[in-house]
Amino acid sequence: MLVNLCTLLFLLYFIASFPLISSQNYEYDSTIKTMEEFSGYPFQEHGFKDSSSALSVDIESLQRQIDELASFSDTPAPSVTRVLYSEKDVLARRYIKNLMGLAGLSVKEDAVGNIFGRWEGSEPEIAAVSTGSHIDAIPFSGKYDGVVGVLGAIEAINALKRYAGFKPKRSLEVIMFTSEEPTRFGISCLGSRLLAGSKELAERLETTVDNQDISFSDAARFSGYAHEDVSTVFLNKGHYHAFIELHIEQGPILEEEGTSIGVVTAIASPASIKVDFEGNGGHAGAVLMPMRNDAGLAAAELSLAVEKHVLESGSIDTVGTVGILELHPGAINSIPSKSHLEIDTRDIDEKRRNKVIEKIHQSALNISRNRGVKLSEFKIINQDPPALSEDLIIKATESACKELNLSHKKMISRAYHDSLFMARISPMGMIFIPCYKGYSHKPEEFAAPVDIANGVRVLALTLAKLSLT
């Protein structure tokens, strides 16, 4: 009798310890149901789970990580400056590797410092699904560019691990790319270009130096890299089943329209040009205007020509920027004897962009002749083709948005990212989230926690879908 009473009391306590489950809780959350249909096997062992916890994102922890990472900076808050292979960059890399380890990922690095964190799937021998971005930051920039795509990717993995019963078929891999920004050595997307097998870049790095005359190799060795040949970084086409990158939009469209997610369909193709003019210089007061060969005015005229040729293209997708204009000797009372320009042109149409470059070159020649200055250099540094997102990834991302009840729109990326070069290795896609007024590359850069959380949830569900294909 005593045994039966104890048993009864235990059962009553056991039942009371569970929360009440309504009839609605017995139905699968829509995201779970879709994953089961995708995979062909039950996504969870049990048919009931509180849907409010489905793909839950620990946004407080994620925001804290974003803030902590921003503290590894060579300039004071709110700005962030984190240049390739600097002391702060090395510390930030350790921070990322630690977070990957805490997420249960196996961590490795390659010869230039691309960092990989892998969650091994049930079929590790087949091509993995990858995601990620960069954490380097140009001088006096913000703390969200690239970072959301790295820390957000780690949190997406954590969210999937919290999703009871989920196991990816394809391994999932988070990548932190080395030097997406061209700050130190003038090479953008250095890590992803090398992953995509750029032999030209590998050879160029042998003689590349920064503005302090420190070679790439020495800087890499200082940070613990470059012990192997750079070509060991190369990956074969098809190495990954898919790659998808989460990123702030860096433009105002999503915020202005009140749309939660941008599904990127294409990335504009960038080209970079370096131009040098040489004149006679002279005293600003003594040399009369008709006698001058002003390299500074030649640079100014070419800057206006860049704007003119871009606008003549007739497309809103064609853009051009003179981001660097330097004059020598740089004294108020001296006529510039030398000028240096660096020009950025982009378009989703490669032929249209290349036509603009041809016009800029012709203008440089005409300006040189008309002003009596020497066009000592007109060099195209890079002329990359555009990249299209893969339909499979676009559809998986759109499906994730619908299942999470998040508004979304298809859009192109006019900024370029590591995804542009990952497209040479595997099918590619991108997820954009809104950012305040479209600000980026400045301290005012900001993404709201709710928007970051939405992006991470979409990324997690998209990764899950792709990992089960």
Side-chain angles (χ1 to χ4, degrees):
M1 182 69 178
L2 181 60
V3 173
N4 290 339
L5 180 60
C6 289
T7 302
L8 178 61
L9 289 171
F10 176 79
L11 288 172
L12 288 172
Y13 173 79
F14 186 77
I15 294 170
S17 68
F18 278 88
L20 291 174
I21 301 174
S22 69
S23 60
Q24 290 181 332
N25 291 123
Y26 281 97
E27 295 188 16
Y28 290 119
D29 175 59
S30 62
T31 57
I32 301 170
K33 182 179 179 183
T34 298
M35 287 185 187
E36 290 184 351
E37 291 172 349
F38 236 89
S39 64
Y41 60 82
F43 186 70
Q44 296 188 123
E45 294 180 5
H46 304 289
F48 49 86
K49 180 179 174 70
D50 182 3
S51 62
S52 66
S53 66
L55 282 179
S56 61
V57 171
D58 188 346
I59 190 58
E60 290 185 6
S61 176
L62 180 53
Q63 184 63 59
R64 184 171 60 253
Q65 292 166 9
I66 292 170
D67 295 339
E68 288 173 349
L69 189 60
S71 69
F72 301 114
S73 171
D74 284 319
T75 53
S79 72
V80 177
T81 300
R82 195 161 46 242
V83 178
L84 175 64
Y85 299 149
S86 64
E87 180 182 353
K88 300 299 184 182
D89 181 50
V90 171
L91 292 172
R93 288 166 176 276
R94 291 176 185 170
Y95 184 80
I96 294 299
K97 287 184 284 186
N98 184 55
L99 289 178
M100 286 180 171
L102 291 173
L105 306 180
S106 59
V107 182
K108 69 173 186 178
E109 299 174 273
D110 64 20
V112 296
N114 290 312
I115 300 173
F116 307 84
R118 190 178 185 91
W119 180 12
E120 191 167 282
S122 59
E123 298 185 21
E125 69 281 0
I126 62 177
V129 174
S130 58
T131 183
S133 194
H134 66 99
I135 64 165
D136 61 312
I138 68 170
F140 298 97
S141 62
K143 61 184 177 182
Y144 296 91
D145 174 19
V147 168
V148 167
V150 177
L151 296 180
I154 297 171
E155 176 57 22
I157 297 294
N158 285 327
L160 288 174
K161 288 192 170 188
R162 288 192 291 265
Y163 221 137
F166 175 71
K167 174 72 173 180
K169 182 175 77 173
R170 297 179 182 275
S171 297
L172 297 178
E173 193 157 274
V174 177
I175 307 174
M176 192 219 80
F177 295 102
T178 281
S179 191
E180 192 264 0
E181 307 290 2
T183 309
R184 184 166 188 180
F185 293 102
I187 304 166
S188 60
C189 298
L190 189 152
S192 54
R193 283 180 192 269
L194 288 172
L195 288 176
S198 176
K199 294 179 181 179
E200 179 184 355
L201 176 55
E203 293 173 358
R204 179 179 165 191
L205 287 176
E206 294 177 3
T207 56
T208 295
V209 296
D210 65 11
N211 58 9
Q212 301 296 315
D213 207 32
I214 298 172
S215 72
F216 173 83
S217 297
D218 285 345
R221 277 192 288 270
F222 166 79
S223 301
Y225 303 110
H227 298 303
E228 302 174 272
D229 190 283
V230 170
S231 63
T232 61
V233 171
F234 297 170
L235 297 178
N236 295 325
K237 188 173 179 62
H239 180 84
Y240 291 114
H241 174 66
F243 173 82
I244 184 163
E245 181 174 5
L246 173 65
H247 209 282
I248 60 171
E249 182 195 348
Q250 297 180 289
I253 295 173
L254 293 176
E255 184 188 55
E256 288 180 353
E257 296 184 356
T259 303
S260 297
I261 299 291
V263 181
V264 175
T265 58
I267 303 175
S269 50
S272 302
I273 309 166
K274 288 186 177 181
V275 183
D276 287 314
F277 290 109
E278 293 182 25
N280 293 331
H283 193 285
V287 181
L288 300 178
M289 297 302 288
M291 306 298 293
R292 296 188 180 194
N293 307 102
D294 192 326
L297 290 180
E301 189 173 345
L302 184 61
S303 298
L304 292 174
V306 170
E307 179 187 44
K308 175 176 178 290
H309 297 319
V310 165
L311 293 174
E312 287 174 345
S313 79
S315 172
I316 197 172
D317 294 324
T318 313
V319 293
T321 305
V322 178
I324 295 176
L325 199 164
E326 299 171 341
L327 304 180
H328 177 82
I332 190 172
N333 62 345
S334 181
I335 301 166
S337 59
K338 295 180 181 179
S339 61
H340 172 78
L341 302 89
E342 295 190 19
I343 303 165
D344 179 297
T345 61
R346 309 182 188 208
D347 203 322
I348 58 170
D349 185 315
E350 187 176 9
K351 290 182 179 179
R352 188 168 58 209
R353 182 208 61 193
N354 291 347
K355 187 175 181 179
V356 169
I357 293 173
E358 291 172 8
K359 288 184 176 181
I360 294 171
H361 187 202
Q362 189 58 53
S363 287
L365 292 170
N366 293 339
I367 291 166
S368 171
R369 183 175 57 254
N370 295 338
R371 289 191 172 275
V373 296
K374 179 183 178 182
L375 178 60
S376 53
E377 181 175 57
F378 188 97
K379 184 177 181 180
I380 299 173
I381 303 302
N382 64 276
Q383 201 167 358
D384 299 306
L388 300 178
S389 298
E390 184 73 22
D391 284 343
L392 171 69
I393 301 176
I394 292 173
K395 289 176 181 177
T397 307
E398 286 188 301
S399 176
C401 291
K402 291 175 183 176
E403 291 162 25
L404 294 167
N405 295 314
L406 294 172
S407 59
H408 68 281
K409 69 174 294 178
K410 290 182 178 180
M411 60 193 306
I412 67 166
S413 173
R414 291 181 175 85
Y416 67 97
H417 308 274
D418 291 302
S419 292
L420 182 72
F421 302 97
M422 291 303 289
R424 301 177 184 180
I425 301 170
S426 73
M428 174 277 298
M430 289 194 74
I431 299 167
F432 277 172
I433 60 169
C435 57
Y436 175 66
K437 292 187 177 180
Y439 288 163
S440 188
H441 285 194
K442 55 192 294 188
E444 293 86 351
E445 179 180 276
F446 175 77
V450 65
D451 291 321
I452 296 173
N454 286 338
V456 172
R457 291 171 70 211
V458 172
L459 175 63
L461 184 51
T462 304
L463 288 172
K465 289 174 179 291
L466 294 171
S467 76
L468 299 172
T469 58

